[in-house]
Amino acid sequence: MDILTDVPELDVQKLFEPSVKTIGAIGQLTLGPRSNGDERLVNAFARSAPGTITFESE
Amino acid sequence: MSSQPEVGWITGSTGYHTEAACAASDIGEPLWPDTPHIRKGGGWRPEELRTVESHAGKVAVYGECLATDAELRAAAENALRSNDPATITAMPGSYTSIIINKNTTRFVGDSAAQYPLYYRSEKDGGITFATHTEPFRTGPQAAPPDRLSLALGVGMPWVYELTAGRTVVAGVSAILPQESVNVHRGGTITTTRHDSMFSAPRLSVDEAAEQLRAALLLGAKRRVNNGRKIAVDFSGGYDSTSEAYVFASVQDEPLTAVTHHSPDMPLDDMDYVQKYLALPDSAGKFDHHVYEYGVADAMYGGLDTITPGDVPDISMRDKACYEDYYAYLRQLGVEMHINGVGGDVVTDMRPGQYLGHFKRPWSIGYFARAVLQTARTEKTSVPAVLASIKRADALDPRTLLLQLAHVLHTPGTYDADYIGDIFGMATAPQWLTRAMRKEIAEYAAERADHVAVPGRMTPADYRAYTTLLTMGPAQHGMTQHAATHGLRTSTLYFDNDVLKACFGLPAYKRMDPWVFKKLMGHAFSGIVPSEVTSRTTKSLYTRHGLEGLRKARGRIQALLRDSRLADLGIINPQVVETTFDDGFMGAAVPGASVAGLIASELWLRGLDDASWDARGYAAPPAVIKKEKPKPAAALDQTARYGTAPGVVVATRAVGAGALHMRAGSHVRLNQYSLTMLRALQATSTLGAAYDILERTYPNADSTLLRTAATQWMQDLVRHGIVAVHSTEFAILEGQDATEALPSQMVRVADNVANVRPMDYVAAFAGLALGRRLERSKSFEQQMQRLGTIREKLTRKPATADEATRILAASHRIAMLALERAACLELSRAAVIGAALRGRRLSLVLGTQSDPESFHAWTETADGTAIRTDADEQIARVYQPLIRL
């Protein structure tokens, strides 16, 4: 409990959003969180959703 | 080809008249005695390249045609008489066919794009063809790399509508699945679509399951009948483990089953493997082996030494690891390796992709229930699921290409989910130069008018099938690699009959949001133990990729400093470097594009390293100059990772994470800062910490490292995270890193049979009160209020049984919530619900890295973690950060 007194304001919903999106067996298949949610993560490369992607104009 | 004697090949032309055919006529041997213009060579096994000859013509099939000789002859005769290419695709297995009759030579691709045939139209009519691209990129008629195809492979490898039929060699096409290329006498070329994969009558679920079961058993039996010693991966996951049981059921001898295992990874796969092997159903079926490898050696290893493949497929990423694995299998005497590739694609997809079908008045009840279920399992809200269904419905192939073209043509900042929907997950189209993006945009806009979902397919099936087809080349790459060891690698899930059985049901019947791989579960009944098909978790191997990437850092940076893709004007190396720096520092990376980029760079180097510049692949004017980053810029970039306000990134240093939270600022840790922090904790002396940092990263620029570390330390001081005493730094008091929980301490709240009515009442109240707290208070205040509520209401600790019941009840009640109800909300509800019944439970927030993620769960007073079977693994994965 002691530590909580100093916990700063967090966007806690953001923290707990599914941050892992996965691609399948040999890294090819796009799945995202698993369809039944029970087996949500596949053995694959994953990334955290960065929020935005910028295409530079150069 | 000559350097890979075990890899079988075919090359030739449809006539005698082309120069390439003449050049090829002195290698290998004729495929048939009277076809000197079609040659074969390399290490074909008899079952891999099969030919039939009759008075009507000749047929060759290569790949894995599992037909008996009689079946093959019958199908060949049929194909020679008929103009329908589907006649040759009716046999079991997966293979590409060459059909030569009096008037036409037809080339019919395999259904999974795993046995390629490349061809080039010749000026004087007909085509030159080969099973490899090598004949087209060497010799007097050598063609240069195809820039557009390389760019697609790096920036958007999953967009099948753009990659289909293209190769990385200019002017050379690849035969498409579900299509035949016909070369008529006189040299005219036509194509015929057959869509045989989707032309069978629609099946019921039971019929499809029975067909799938029969197809899997037949595929296994026929492979066993080839007499090769088979090894099946036995990972503990669904697909490969199920395949192992299928093979074991048709083989008399115990089946060689091999489990990959990284002892340095906190995974529980080995626990499941041992559990499955101990089942009565497994008795006498397996000769089990464990293949151990380091977590950092699975991906991106050996980039200095591996031999690039024929085309830059992403299996190159794992080549070094498989080099050792294949050698290991050969030591066991294995000749055929079975992996589980493809199982996911045909039997599983996100519900948002197929639920749109039920958005009709007469099925609205099912639709509502399915959306609710999807919201729970994807840990999101009902509106978010509805939005994803709407997006999926709107993205028909034409719209997708037009939107893709718009994005590529219009610089700016886009929502990552939107980019993911269009370009595919884990890709980085933003790496491409502006000029390259424009080029692809024009190509996409042109292609948009030529793509559509074929008549008999549902949009979701089309998406599933095109996804499968993007996997075929990598499976081919693995097979070719295995062949250099005298081994082959194969999967049941690419077999014609398996695909036909799966696609015999439309996606909205093949899957539902409640049962994982519903059709597969039906088909495996009685063959695969229910313990395997009902496993509700699967380990995450992300750390393999991240650790491997870090280990390969020096080589990857060298590739980027002298980037061939940049020479070709394809990528902007500075943008790419930024992404890689993120990855090296601990942030996530777009894995598909990373793999595509590395494969392409290595492949381009393998073409002809010495003559690269002389070939004139000069960069177009638009290419960005490759400049080594200036120290100041590099420092700025490194410092960028030091502080990132508003972002908390979990690390394995739980104490460090807690420190950050205590300090009221959010400091993003990376591997350097983590090392530095640990070094400071160990030494309390800046100089000594620097020394440790330098020893840990001997390849890093020492000056940069020290400067960046100093900058980072200053950030920490500014945020009040460390206190300065003269030259020494002392870490403020923080929570010590907690040992990971032993797995036996985790209770699974999967049994709702004992849940009592009052548990439901308490859980309902807990959910409602929790939601109320969430709406009205900040996180800090929420936690404080939660603590207060609990202190006032609880009289004694909850037992593990009580905690399990209340959490299970919360899960059930939450099934009806429109808003998000995932780990945090459910754990909070359980804590409040238990408190309302006078019982005390702890709410724990925990973290893990690689990938960075957060989790919440409940604990009893004695530290027993409570989770449901829908929750991810806690033991050995998550470390408690905050315990309320």
Side-chain angles (χ1 to χ4, degrees):
Chain A
M1 185 61 193
D2 57 331
I3 199 169
L4 291 171
T5 57
D6 293 327
V7 168
E9 179 64 21
L10 294 176
D11 184 354
V12 72
Q13 290 298 336
K14 190 77 180 170
L15 283 183
F16 282 84
E17 280 172 6
S19 62
V20 177
K21 296 182 178 181
T22 56
I23 51 176
I26 52 176
Q28 297 257 13
L29 166 65
T30 301
L31 282 178
R34 301 310 296 265
S35 58
N36 75 340
D38 297 332
E39 184 179 337
R40 292 183 306 114
L41 305 172
V42 286
N43 52 335
F45 216 87
R47 67 174 182 130
S48 301
T52 58
I53 302 281
T54 298
F55 291 78
E56 304 285 353
S57 60
E58 295 175 8
Chain B
M1 288 183 291
S2 57
S3 62
Q4 298 176 331
E6 285 291 336
V7 177
W9 53 265
I10 296 172
T11 184
S13 74
T14 50
Y16 294 98
H17 46 293
T18 64
E19 285 182 34
C22 292
S25 64
D26 60 349
I27 61 170
E29 57 183 295
L31 186 54
W32 290 278
D34 60 344
T35 60
H37 56 299
I38 303 177
R39 320 285 295 186
K40 67 173 180 178
W44 290 110
R45 291 177 176 176
E47 67 269 25
E48 290 176 334
L49 173 60
R50 302 170 69 184
T51 57
V52 172
E53 191 168 5
S54 77
H55 68 280
K58 301 177 175 65
V59 172
V61 293
Y62 62 89
E64 279 193 300
C65 177
L66 302 174
T68 63
D69 287 343
E71 290 168 344
L72 173 59
R73 176 160 288 279
E77 294 284 1
N78 203 7
L80 286 167
R81 283 194 302 272
S82 164
N83 285 325
D84 181 5
T87 53
I88 199 68
T89 64
M91 294 180 286
S94 182
Y95 48 87
T96 290
S97 314
I98 303 171
I99 305 159
I100 306 172
N101 64 19
K102 192 175 175 183
N103 298 316
T104 311
T105 300
R106 283 181 285 146
F107 302 88
V108 184
D110 73 280
S111 301
Q114 63 170 333
Y115 298 111
L117 188 125
Y118 305 105
Y119 68 95
R120 179 174 62 198
S121 302
E122 299 298 344
K123 290 175 186 170
D124 47 358
I127 64 171
T128 306
F129 60 89
T131 51
H132 295 61
T133 62
E134 187 179 326
F136 301 106
R137 50 184 169 81
T138 55
Q141 290 191 323
D146 184 83
R147 293 174 60 252
L148 191 67
S149 295
L150 284 165
L152 294 172
V154 173
M156 54 205 82
W158 313 145
V159 185
Y160 179 74
E161 291 81 1
L162 296 182
T163 59
R166 300 188 66 95
T167 75
V168 289
V169 183
V172 178
S173 302
I175 197 163
L176 290 171
Q178 306 297 290
E179 191 169 285
S180 78
V181 172
N182 318 305
V183 183
H184 305 281
R185 179 184 280 213
T188 313
I189 303 167
T190 61
T191 57
T192 310
R193 278 200 68 85
H194 57 88
D195 291 324
S196 58
M197 203 51 56
F198 299 89
S199 59
R202 289 296 192 203
L203 305 171
S204 69
V205 173
D206 287 342
E207 288 169 340
E210 189 50 45
Q211 280 197 19
L212 178 57
R213 176 192 182 88
L216 290 165
L217 289 170
L218 182 72
K221 184 69 179 169
R222 294 279 172 94
R223 283 175 172 86
V224 168
N225 287 349
N226 282 332
R228 310 279 181 186
K229 181 171 181 179
I230 289 174
V232 182
D233 289 345
F234 196 99
S235 71
Y238 196 118
D239 299 326
S240 67
T241 308
S242 297
E243 267 188 316
Y245 280 94
V246 171
F247 271 90
S249 73
V250 298
Q251 181 169 306
D252 296 331
E253 301 293 316
L255 176 72
T256 302
V258 184
T259 301
H260 293 236
H261 180 56
S262 296
D264 47 354
M265 274 284 283
L267 300 175
D268 62 352
D269 269 348
M270 188 57 89
D271 298 341
Y272 282 94
V273 166
Q274 287 163 351
K275 178 182 161 191
Y276 298 154
L277 290 173
L279 294 172
D281 285 345
S282 304
K285 283 187 175 170
F286 299 108
D287 172 23
H288 183 246
H289 301 264
V290 177
Y291 174 74
E292 291 194 349
Y293 61 102
V295 62
D297 298 324
M299 296 181 185
Y300 308 111
L303 297 184
D304 281 320
T305 55
I306 61 172
T307 310
D310 181 58
V311 292
D313 74 84
I314 71 161
S315 71
M316 220 178 284
R317 179 190 64 190
D318 312 324
K319 204 164 185 177
C321 178
Y322 274 89
E323 185 76 9
D324 295 337
Y325 182 52
Y326 290 147
Y328 173 81
L329 292 177
R330 287 297 293 142
Q331 282 179 2
L332 297 177
V334 173
E335 296 174 283
M336 172 65 77
H337 163 239
I338 308 291
N339 61 27
V341 171
D344 287 323
V345 191
V346 288
T347 56
D348 186 38
M349 67 194 314
R350 294 186 68 180
Q353 300 276 329
Y354 60 82
L355 286 182
H357 173 82
F358 297 105
K359 213 169 47 181
R360 304 154 199 258
W362 55 88
S363 56
I364 200 69
Y366 178 89
F367 179 73
R369 284 185 289 120
V371 168
L372 269 173
Q373 173 68 19
T374 304
R376 292 295 80 79
T377 54
E378 293 198 347
K379 304 199 183 306
T380 186
S381 66
V382 166
V385 175
L386 292 172
S388 73
I389 292 171
K390 189 176 177 184
R391 279 203 310 271
D393 284 353
L395 276 183
D396 62 90
R398 182 173 184 275
T399 309
L400 185 144
L401 287 188
L402 291 176
Q403 292 193 17
L404 178 146
H406 174 77
V407 169
L408 292 178
H409 203 267
T410 316
T413 299
Y414 295 86
D415 180 83
D417 285 339
Y418 176 67
I419 296 300
D421 282 345
I422 292 177
F423 292 90
M425 209 58 76
T427 59
Q430 72 275 16
W431 286 356
L432 303 178
T433 62
R434 177 95 171 97
M436 197 70 242
R437 278 184 263 142
K438 278 185 173 174
E439 211 173 308
I440 295 175
E442 286 167 14
Y443 179 60
E446 175 203 323
R447 289 284 302 148
D449 289 333
H450 304 284
V451 295
V453 177
R456 296 205 52 158
M457 298 171 78
T458 66
D461 286 317
Y462 172 80
R463 188 54 56 201
Y465 188 53
T466 54
T467 303
L468 178 96
L469 296 179
T470 60
M471 299 175 69
Q475 178 72 5
H476 175 67
M478 294 174 76
T479 304
Q480 297 288 288
H481 180 204
T484 63
H485 287 263
L487 189 70
R488 300 293 188 271
T489 192
S490 172
T491 173
L492 289 176
Y493 300 118
F494 281 174
D495 283 1
N496 289 340
D497 291 351
V498 172
L499 295 178
K500 283 176 183 171
C502 291
F503 289 122
L505 275 180
Y508 56 84
K509 285 189 179 174
R510 195 164 66 243
M511 295 163 263
D512 71 38
W514 289 273
V515 184
F516 183 55
K517 298 189 177 178
K518 181 173 75 171
L519 181 64
M520 201 85 95
H522 274 67
F524 284 143
S525 176
I527 304 173
V528 181
S530 59
E531 286 84 350
V532 176
T533 53
S534 62
R535 179 179 169 185
T536 55
T537 60
K538 192 169 185 178
S539 293
L540 183 65
Y541 285 79
T542 308
R543 191 176 295 169
H544 286 88
L546 293 170
E547 295 279 10
L549 204 62
R550 289 171 193 142
K551 191 173 179 182
R553 175 183 186 151
R555 179 58 178 150
I556 291 171
Q557 287 178 326
L559 287 175
L560 286 173
R561 276 197 297 271
D562 182 28
S563 167
R564 294 286 161 86
L565 290 168
D567 284 347
L568 289 168
I570 293 172
I571 61 163
N572 179 336
Q574 289 174 334
V575 176
V576 179
E577 279 173 22
T578 303
T579 308
F580 271 99
D581 283 343
D582 280 349
F584 297 141
M585 294 289 189
V589 292
S593 286
V594 169
L597 179 131
I598 291 172
S600 297
E601 289 286 359
L602 294 179
W603 182 80
L604 287 167
R605 278 164 174 74
L607 290 183
D608 184 356
D609 212 48
S611 64
W612 177 258
D613 294 332
R615 284 187 177 201
Y617 301 140
V623 73
I624 299 297
K625 283 185 179 176
K626 289 180 290 179
E627 291 178 356
K628 192 173 180 181
K630 295 173 184 172
L635 179 58
D636 287 346
Q637 195 173 62
T638 309
R640 179 163 63 88
Y641 298 101
T643 58
V647 177
V648 173
V649 175
T651 74
R652 270 161 278 173
V654 173
L659 276 172
H660 293 219
M661 300 187 81
R662 284 176 65 89
S665 61
H666 311 138
V667 178
R668 181 171 178 161
L669 291 183
N670 56 47
Q671 58 173 337
Y672 295 98
S673 52
L674 188 55
T675 304
M676 187 72 184
L677 192 62
R678 284 173 173 163
L680 280 166
Q681 285 174 316
T683 65
S684 296
T685 308
L686 188 59
Y690 281 153
D691 292 342
I692 291 174
L693 193 64
E694 285 178 12
R695 282 202 302 276
T696 308
Y697 302 103
N699 297 326
D701 183 315
S702 167
T703 307
L704 273 181
L705 205 58
R706 279 180 177 255
T707 314
T710 303
Q711 175 71 50
W712 180 77
M713 288 301 299
Q714 287 167 356
D715 285 336
L716 291 187
V717 172
R718 194 170 67 247
H719 285 84
I721 291 172
V722 296
V724 183
H725 305 286
S726 183
T727 57
E728 292 191 349
F729 288 74
I731 307 299
L732 292 178
E733 180 189 356
Q735 183 178 338
D736 291 335
T738 308
E739 287 295 318
L741 299 162
S743 59
Q744 64 269 23
M745 294 294 283
V746 176
R747 291 284 298 260
V748 178
D750 57 350
N751 184 359
V752 296
N754 295 325
V755 178
R756 298 165 188 172
M758 281 308 292
D759 293 325
Y760 287 116
V761 173
F764 181 80
L767 275 169
L769 270 174
R771 194 71 77 191
R772 177 74 183 164
L773 283 178
E774 180 186 295
R775 284 177 180 165
S776 59
K777 301 293 176 185
S778 69
F779 180 65
E780 180 184 353
Q781 289 167 323
Q782 284 173 40
M783 293 295 111
Q784 287 172 344
R785 288 287 297 275
L786 188 58
T788 304
I789 291 170
R790 195 184 55 179
E791 293 306 315
K792 286 184 176 174
L793 295 179
T794 56
R795 299 186 301 277
K796 61 179 184 179
T799 65
D801 282 341
E802 289 168 337
T804 305
R805 291 206 316 265
I806 192 74
L807 186 60
S810 301
H811 261 272
R812 279 204 144 183
I813 296 283
M815 284 306 297
L816 298 173
L818 296 181
E819 293 167 303
R820 183 179 182 274
C823 58
L824 178 64
E825 292 82 358
L826 294 171
S827 302
R828 190 177 55 200
V831 170
I832 298 174
L836 290 171
R837 303 197 68 190
R839 299 293 184 268
R840 180 187 177 89
L841 264 180
S842 296
L843 174 66
V844 186
L845 307 185
T847 67
Q848 71 152 327
S849 58
D850 293 350
E852 304 149 352
S853 59
F854 293 77
H855 190 39
W857 65 92
T858 54
E859 268 185 15
T860 56
D862 64 357
T864 302
I866 307 293
R867 73 177 177 94
T868 75
D869 58 355
D871 287 327
E872 52 204 277
Q873 184 186 352
I874 298 170
R876 293 178 289 173
V877 175
Y878 284 97
Q879 295 191 28
L881 177 60
I882 298 173
R883 185 179 279 107
L884 171 63

